[in-house]
Amino acid sequence: MWIEKVAKQLMLLVGIVGVLVIYSGFFYLLLQPQGPQLPWYILLSPWLCIYFGLNTQQQRNTQRWLMQKLPFKRSN
């Protein structure tokens, strides 16, 4: 079990650093007059690392929060 815990902590760390690096680089390039066009989906990748770095209960809470925020129709 220790390897799973270490892997989750590493994913969380990589995700947090990824958010800082990717978003700062994205906004820097966005402000450049002739900066390269970057695809928007690269902004999601660090959030996936953060999500998979969370424990199971936190992942469920995140899913529940996201489902409340997004306009999905739920079939009963």
Side-chain angles (χ1 to χ4, degrees), residues 8 10-20 44-55 58-59 62:
K8 283 187 173 282
L10 186 60
M11 290 287 285
L12 197 56
L13 178 66
V14 167
I16 291 169
V17 171
V19 166
L20 295 174
L44 296 177
S45 57
W47 293 109
L48 292 174
C49 288
I50 291 174
Y51 174 78
F52 287 112
L54 299 174
N55 65 38
Q58 290 170 325
Q59 287 178 353
T62 302

Side-chain angles (χ1 to χ4, degrees), residues 12-60:
L12 197 56
L13 178 66
V14 167
I16 291 169
V17 171
V19 166
L20 295 174
V21 170
I22 290 175
Y23 276 73
S24 61
F26 180 80
F27 289 122
Y28 172 77
L29 290 174
L30 189 65
L31 297 174
Q32 296 300 313
Q34 294 296 332
Q37 297 296 318
L38 296 175
W40 62 269
Y41 52 84
I42 66 165
L43 299 175
L44 296 177
S45 57
W47 293 109
L48 292 174
C49 288
I50 291 174
Y51 174 78
F52 287 112
L54 299 174
N55 65 38
T56 306
Q57 185 59 42
Q58 290 170 325
Q59 287 178 353
R60 285 190 196 120

